């Protein structure tokens, strides 16, 4: 059965890093994948240049065409690196609006104990928006990890769900490269070569070649 999938991210590129391979696998199964981002992803860095903002949006559109998902329009963008300064309810309301329109079966979001304040806030807002109310249709909530952020947290991310992505790696790499500067030569765990080794490592921990890994927050079987 075709499923609807919603991914909530703080910044445009988190979706590709966190679950780009899984997104494409949903597409192969005939699922519809939507992605909601909360910040423009560049405004907290140095001087804001309109060109940078435009580039980031263009990169994200390229990535969505490669991985076959749709960006959900979010008119209420929040300031980058400051999501923890807004009332949680403001973020929850944005998600609830999208939720009521899409009615997703599966939701992917950030890990609630990520080091990045924006990631943390989006995670908390997402699980709040999808709290178990009577009419809630979502049956699965998964946390993804963002290298050079989730791994900087003092609390380890211990995955319990693995998605083999070796056949999707080249497409994921293409989408990552669409974001250019974010993943090139960073000498961090988000560097492209580190990412490849990381997915291989995650795969090897469960006897597979290359995996994106997740923490199942909730999965209901009805
Ligand atoms: Zn991010």
């Amino acid at each position: 059965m075709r499923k609807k999938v919603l991914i909530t991210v703080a910044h445009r590129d988190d979706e590709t890093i966190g679950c780009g391979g899984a997104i494409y696998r949903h597409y192969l199964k005939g699922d519809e994948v939507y992605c909601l981002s909360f910040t423009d992803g560049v405004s907290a860095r140095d001087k804001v240049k309109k060109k940078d903002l435009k580039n980031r949006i263009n990169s994200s559109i390229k990535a969505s065409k490669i991985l076959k998902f749709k960006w959900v329009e979010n008119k209420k963008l929040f300031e980058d690196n400051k999501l923890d300064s807004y009332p949680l309810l403001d973020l929850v309301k944005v998600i609830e609006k999208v939720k009521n329109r899409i009615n997703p079966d599966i939701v992917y979001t950030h890990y609630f104990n990520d080091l990045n304040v924006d990631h943390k806030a989006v995670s908390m807002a997402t699980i709040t928006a999808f709290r178990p109310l009577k009419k809630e249709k979502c049956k699965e909530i998964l946390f993804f990890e963002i290298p050079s952020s989730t791994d900087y947290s003092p609390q380890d991310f211990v995955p319990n769900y693995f998605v083999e992505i070796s056949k999707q790696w080249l497409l994921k790499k293409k989408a990552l490269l669409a974001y250019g500067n974010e993943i090139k030569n960073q000498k961090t765990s988000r560097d492209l070569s580190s990412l490849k080794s990381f997915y291989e490592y995650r795969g090897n921990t469960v006897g597979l070649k290359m995996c994106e890994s997740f923490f199942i927050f909730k999965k209901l079987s009805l």
Side-chain angles (χ1 to χ4, degrees), residues 94-160:
V94 172
I95 300 171
E96 280 179 342
K97 245 189 193 172
V98 175
K99 177 181 101 158
N100 293 337
R101 193 149 59 83
I102 295 174
N103 274 317
D105 305 286
I106 304 171
V107 171
Y108 290 83
T109 190
H110 291 281
Y111 182 48
F112 68 95
N113 242 330
D114 199 290
L115 183 68
N116 184 288
V117 291
D118 294 346
H119 294 177
K120 238 184 202 174
V122 169
S123 183
M124 294 311 287
T126 303
I127 59 177
T128 306
F130 287 94
R131 64 200 178 278
L133 296 173
K134 249 188 185 173
K135 286 181 185 167
E136 185 50 63
K137 291 202 178 94
C138 174
K139 293 169 203 73
E140 199 171 333
I141 299 178
L142 302 161
F143 295 140
F144 50 73
E145 54 184 335
I146 303 291
S148 93
S149 184
T150 317
D151 50 344
Y152 291 174
S153 163
Q155 184 168 340
D156 278 350
F157 179 89
V158 183
N160 55 11

Side-chain angles (χ1 to χ4, degrees), residues 77-218:
L77 278 181
F78 299 84
E79 230 182 312
D80 191 33
N81 254 320
K82 286 186 180 170
L83 277 185
D84 58 337
S85 65
Y86 298 91
L88 188 71
L89 192 61
D90 287 5
L91 309 186
V92 173
K93 276 182 185 164
V94 172
I95 300 171
E96 280 179 342
K97 245 189 193 172
V98 175
K99 177 181 101 158
N100 293 337
R101 193 149 59 83
I102 295 174
N103 274 317
D105 305 286
I106 304 171
V107 171
Y108 290 83
T109 190
H110 291 281
Y111 182 48
F112 68 95
N113 242 330
D114 199 290
L115 183 68
N116 184 288
V117 291
D118 294 346
H119 294 177
K120 238 184 202 174
V122 169
S123 183
M124 294 311 287
T126 303
I127 59 177
T128 306
F130 287 94
R131 64 200 178 278
L133 296 173
K134 249 188 185 173
K135 286 181 185 167
E136 185 50 63
K137 291 202 178 94
C138 174
K139 293 169 203 73
E140 199 171 333
I141 299 178
L142 302 161
F143 295 140
F144 50 73
E145 54 184 335
I146 303 291
S148 93
S149 184
T150 317
D151 50 344
Y152 291 174
S153 163
Q155 184 168 340
D156 278 350
F157 179 89
V158 183
N160 55 11
Y161 176 57
F162 297 81
V163 175
E164 165 66 68
I165 60 155
S166 49
K167 286 188 185 142
Q168 287 74 44
W169 168 244
L170 287 181
L171 275 177
K172 170 159 174 148
K173 186 176 154 187
K174 204 173 159 191
L176 287 166
L177 287 170
Y179 284 106
N181 299 334
E182 281 302 303
I183 49 127
K184 272 190 208 159
N185 306 318
Q186 286 208 28
K187 298 281 175 270
T188 68
S189 49
R190 205 180 296 181
D191 183 272
L192 190 60
S193 65
S194 301
L195 283 178
K196 183 172 181 279
S197 308
F198 179 69
Y199 300 127
E200 284 168 345
Y201 166 74
R202 284 297 196 209
N204 291 169
T205 63
V206 288
L208 296 172
K209 221 170 162 184
M210 202 177 200
C211 283
E212 281 171 354
S213 39
F214 303 89
F215 181 80
I216 301 173
F217 171 67
K218 178 167 99 172

